[in-house]
Amino acid sequence: MNTDDSRPGARVTVTGIGYLGLTHAVCLAEMGHEVLAVDTDAGKVAQALGGIAPFFEPGLEELLRKQLDAGRLTFTTSHAEAAGFGDFHFLCVGTPQAPDGSADLSQLYAAADALAPHLAGPCLIAGKSTVPVGTARALATRIAERAPAGARAEVIWNPEFLREGTAVRDSLSPDRIVLGAASQQAADRLKQVYAKLIRHGVPMLVMDLETAELVKMSANAFLATRLSFINALAEVCEATGADVTALVGALAYDERIGRRFLTPGLGYGGGCLPKDVRAFGAVAAELGLGSLATLLDEVDTINLRCRSRAVDLAREVAGGSLAGWRVGILGVAFKPGSDDVRNSASLDVCGRLAAEGAVVTVHDPVALPSAALVRPDLRYAESALTAVTDADLVLHLTDWEEYRLIDPRVLGAVVSQRHVIDARSALDEQRWRSAGWSFHALGRP
Ligand SMILES: NC(=O)c1ccc[n+]([C@@H]2O[C@H](COP(=O)([O-])OP(=O)(O)OC[C@H]3O[C@@H](n4cnc5c(N)ncnc54)[C@H](O)[C@@H]3O)[C@@H](O)[C@H]2O)c1
């Protein structure tokens, strides 16, 4: 999207500079706004001020530097400074999973508590974090109790749909902007912030607060359900000798079904889908909606079973025991395009293989540092070739393009045995087989 425009921008703050918040802050600056971003993590703030993104996201660091140089973007650890900076405050802090599966809203409440006492005049507080339905109203009450008289802060909900790996593009050219607001005036004011996107044809859908909160949870639950449905069909294929790849290929021709989010394999992971499915399930249970709670619980169970099935398949290929088997791993990021290993199915599988006595050596184009922080016990290799050298078995666990393009003859020359498991349904089976590999995949004969 061409973001050049001579109209003056708004003064906007963003609280939380994780995967969502930093991208949002940078993209708001790219849209021409003056942005101050605040985070309690002084290390992240220092990195961002130095033009370094604390995580890998294609194109983000370049835009961060551009906007720092342009003077439209800066960072602080002070909520008081943020409160005085402008009239629009976006909340982008984490909403991780609580031990009981529900969403832990403590970061959100802490951010609101830190901001509210310093608000000086009327302002809009826009929540972007993914939250259970009802959170926005609870937050509005909390802020009203803590803000000085006359601050008149209105809470609106503006859920975010960006995907790691394409976050910048998703933020600058979203499919839609969803806005939950209790008043039309609040909705109209937020339109100013997104005016450039709206002028470029991005639809803005205005609704009540509860529906906006539900849109995000429902979208993630729907995507997760599609993936678990196809992975449950992969289990049917395993039990009957059918081929899930051929099955999906045929299903996808039905335009009501389509192909997206129907790739069988290791299932979903990351910092969003797993926790959001569980949080939505917790909300459903709380509301007495047992059927939805059970459905989402099964979606989660099927998803986690993909990881066990991948390890079972590896054990089977190894002849019943993985003890002492050297396993080369292609990919540990939870998805390609990201260095995020939060709830990574790939990293989970690596840990399970190691627990069964396999000697696991891992490659990933960008996620080795984040994986090594979580699993320092695994071995890491700087190239795919090194990771698979002398391996008895190769597991393809994250669908990076470089693995699709890899020449199986080159890998075949350095491994000890040519066994490969494609747990992402992404490799060209014929190519691997003709290079002398025994080729295995979930849901396939
Ligand atoms: N990651 C994604 O792709 C994505 C996409 C859409 C929506 N979301 C949602 O966005 C939210 C944030 O996700 P994330 O992946 O960016 O999380 P994250 O953990 O990467 O980032 C959260 C940031 O908030 C900061 N923080 C915590 N408490 C704070 C406080 N009181 N004041 C200021 N900063 C504080 C943390 O230091 C951290 O930098 C979640 O609700 C998530 O579900 C994420």
Side-chain angles (χ1 to χ4, degrees):
M1 192 198 82
N2 178 8
T3 47
D4 287 348
D5 198 314
S6 54
R7 283 172 249 210
R11 286 172 69 82
V12 177
T13 79
V14 173
T15 300
I17 55 165
Y19 288 87
L20 162 61
L22 184 60
T23 309
H24 189 57
V26 166
C27 290
L28 285 172
E30 184 70 11
M31 288 175 218
H33 302 302
E34 304 281 316
V35 183
L36 174 65
V38 53
D39 201 292
T40 43
D41 185 331
K44 275 190 188 175
V45 167
Q47 273 186 306
L49 279 169
I52 295 168
F55 51 87
F56 174 78
E57 182 60 47
L60 182 63
E61 205 162 80
E62 292 79 349
L63 278 192
L64 167 65
R65 290 182 184 164
K66 177 182 162 195
Q67 293 306 330
L68 284 168
D69 289 348
R72 275 196 290 269
L73 175 61
T74 189
F75 297 87
T76 181
T77 53
S78 165
H79 291 89
E81 192 187 337
F85 182 83
D87 304 337
F88 296 99
H89 304 286
F90 287 96
L91 301 182
C92 298
V93 295
T95 49
Q97 187 185 320
D100 66 356
S102 65
D104 173 355
L105 300 176
S106 57
Q107 291 184 28
L108 201 57
Y109 289 145
D113 292 356
L115 195 67
H118 305 287
L119 295 170
C123 63
L124 226 46
I125 299 184
K128 287 197 79 64
S129 304
T130 304
V131 293
V133 57
T135 303
R137 281 191 201 276
L139 200 68
T141 306
R142 198 173 172 111
I143 290 170
E145 286 165 2
R146 287 161 176 75
R152 296 209 319 278
E154 182 161 352
V155 172
I156 58 178
W157 220 260
N158 173 216
E160 178 57 55
F161 300 92
L162 67 78
R163 298 157 297 174
E164 289 174 33
T166 52
V168 171
R169 193 182 67 206
D170 292 343
S171 297
L172 292 175
S173 304
D175 296 335
R176 77 295 208 196
I177 299 163
V178 169
L179 175 58
S183 75
Q184 187 57 43
Q185 295 92 306
D188 289 342
R189 284 179 65 202
L190 196 79
K191 278 183 188 163
Q192 292 170 34
V193 175
Y194 290 118
K196 286 184 184 171
L197 302 189
I198 294 167
R199 276 200 299 278
H200 281 84
V202 177
M204 179 178 234
L205 311 170
V206 180
M207 58 196 75
D208 60 84
L209 288 166
E210 286 75 15
T211 310
E213 291 168 321
L214 274 173
V215 170
K216 176 64 189 177
M217 281 279 187
S218 310
N220 279 1
F222 190 72
L223 294 170
T225 303
R226 273 177 76 93
L227 281 172
S228 281
F229 187 77
I230 207 64
N231 284 322
L233 290 182
E235 293 179 8
V236 176
C237 290
E238 280 161 16
T240 58
D243 183 335
V244 73
T245 311
L247 176 67
V248 172
L251 287 174
Y253 272 97
D254 186 328
E255 63 183 20
R256 296 168 301 173
I257 296 175
R259 180 174 290 278
R260 303 196 67 190
F261 266 71
L262 273 196
T263 305
L266 264 194
Y268 58 83
C272 292
L273 256 54
K275 75 169 175 65
D276 293 342
V277 167
R278 291 176 197 143
F280 201 12
V283 168
E286 206 179 295
L287 292 170
L289 303 171
S291 298
L292 180 59
T294 305
L295 174 69
L296 295 174
D297 196 38
E298 282 302 320
V299 166
D300 187 27
T301 302
I302 294 165
N303 185 57
L304 292 178
R305 207 159 51 222
C306 298
R307 306 173 183 192
S308 314
R309 286 170 42 236
V311 176
D312 292 347
L313 182 55
R315 196 186 311 107
E316 201 181 296
V317 173
S321 169
L322 284 158
W325 264 52
R326 285 157 300 184
V327 181
I329 300 289
L330 302 181
V332 277
F334 91 96
K335 65 179 287 193
S338 173
D339 66 351
D340 196 350
V341 295
R342 290 178 292 178
N343 213 327
S344 159
S346 318
L347 192 55
D348 190 9
V349 166
C350 294
R352 292 181 196 211
L353 296 169
E356 294 205 17
V359 181
V360 178
T361 308
V362 176
H363 174 258
D364 189 283
V366 298
L368 293 189
S370 40
L373 277 179
V374 186
R375 294 295 310 231
D377 53 314
L378 302 175
R379 297 159 171 233
Y380 294 97
E382 289 299 327
S383 76
L385 204 62
T386 315
V388 306
T389 296
D390 295 329
D392 300 302
L393 171 63
V394 173
L395 259 84
H396 174 237
L397 298 182
T398 305
D399 182 16
W400 286 96
E401 192 175 8
E402 76 168 69
Y403 299 145
R404 287 180 182 233
L405 299 176
I406 217 159
D407 186 341
R409 287 170 306 183
V410 173
L411 293 198
V414 300
V415 294
S416 177
Q417 304 188 57
R418 290 181 195 171
H419 298 300
V420 63
I421 294 178
D422 177 15
R424 291 296 181 186
S425 308
L427 303 179
D428 182 340
E429 179 180 354
Q430 271 326 105
R431 220 168 142 237
W432 283 74
R433 282 197 191 280
S434 48
W437 290 78
S438 75
F439 189 94
H440 310 268
L442 297 169
R444 305 192 62 189

